[in-house]
Every structure is written in structure tokens, then in C-alpha cells.
Amino acid sequence: MAIGSDSVSSLTSEITAYLEQKGIELTCCGSLAGEEADYVDAAHDVAEAVSAGECDQGLIFCNTGTGVTIVANKVPGIRAALCPDSFSARIARLANNANVIVLGMRLTGEMHAKEIVDTWLETAPSTEERRVNFHRKTDELDRRYRKDPPPAGD
């Protein structure tokens, strides 16, 4: 999992340690990698790692989460979702096939963040036909506006 932030906080430290305790291999980006980074840099680095296939999923921290969500979603193939609660995390994975979760540091306490992350990790994208169709349509819009050719077999 790629994980990044523009600052180190008790929340970022706690969640990083929590994920490592779960045995999740982390690729740290931005301030979590000891680099000076603003939110644009941190979000881009996480999104790029996921888009390039270096990591299966990403987690980005931001004060509110809005800025990094916007930035991450500019990277081809990224489906970043700001998840203020467990229900949002579940639906982001299940219904939206999100591959990057965003947590607002000013809005989310440590205990709550752990619940959100656990829900995210325990939920897989839906294989239900109607939702898979939503995923396909979303991917097509992504390709159309990026002017990318469709992948073979589409």
C-alpha cells in the first residue's frame, strides 16, 4: 500500500504503525518518507505508485482530504475516495471500485480512522453485474477525457 501525507501527525504515525502491525507492506510518500512535500506532491506520489502498479492501493492523509482527492483523481486509473466514516469506505470499495482511500486528519480521530481503514481493507470491489457495469462506464469516461485508447478486449 502506498501511503502519504504532507505532514506527519499523531494520526499518520498511529495508522502507519497499525497497518504495519497488520503485516501490510507500505511504500511511504511525502512527509511520511521523510521528504518535504506539499499535499499535491504527496497525493501525486501515492496515486502514481498505484497507477503504475507498484502498489495495489493507496492511503492519503490531508487536513480535510479534499485537495488530495482532487489531485489523486487526476492520475489515470485512480479512483480516490474521501472516506469520513466506515460506511463511505465500504461503499467506495464495493460500489465504486476505489483504489485510494483519503482520510481528513482534522476530521478523523485515531480510533475512528482504524475502523475506516479496517472496513476498507475488509471490503472488495463488487462482482455484481450492475456495479461492474458502473466500473466499466467510469473507466470509459476516464479514457475518453484522457484521450487514451481503450485497452485490448474492450
Side-chain angles (χ1 to χ4, degrees):
M1 173 184 276
I3 184 170
S5 180
D6 62 353
S7 63
V8 176
S9 68
S10 60
L11 181 65
T12 61
S13 297
E14 182 68 27
I15 297 302
T16 299
Y18 185 66
L19 291 168
E20 288 172 336
Q21 288 170 359
K22 289 180 161 292
I24 296 172
E25 184 178 335
L26 300 178
T27 298
C28 293
C29 301
S31 294
L32 302 184
E35 301 169 1
E36 192 170 314
D38 61 31
Y39 79 89
V40 176
D41 298 328
H44 177 260
D45 290 351
V46 169
E48 186 65 28
V50 175
S51 178
E54 297 166 12
C55 297
D56 294 329
Q57 57 190 326
L59 167 59
I60 311 170
F61 295 94
C62 179
N63 278 323
T64 65
T66 303
V68 297
T69 303
I70 292 168
V71 171
N73 281 318
K74 300 287 184 193
V75 176
I78 295 302
R79 293 169 179 250
L82 175 56
C83 297
D85 53 54
S86 295
F87 179 75
S88 298
R90 182 176 174 281
I91 295 303
R93 292 285 286 158
L94 182 72
N96 306 122
N97 195 22
N99 53 11
V100 174
I101 184 174
V102 176
L103 295 177
M105 292 187 294
R106 294 179 62 107
L107 310 171
T108 312
E110 290 175 17
M111 189 97 135
H112 193 97
K114 287 178 183 178
E115 292 172 5
I116 294 168
V117 167
D118 283 342
T119 299
W120 172 268
L121 294 171
E122 294 164 2
T123 306
S126 177
T127 57
E128 183 184 350
E129 181 64 34
R130 74 182 183 97
R131 288 193 167 142
V132 169
N133 189 46
F134 297 153
H135 304 165
R136 273 192 230 120
K137 286 174 141 183
T138 302
D139 290 343
E140 175 53 37
L141 286 172
D142 188 57
R143 282 191 299 274
R144 181 185 327 158
Y145 287 99
R146 292 180 197 286
K147 310 269 189 267
D148 293 343
D154 267 10

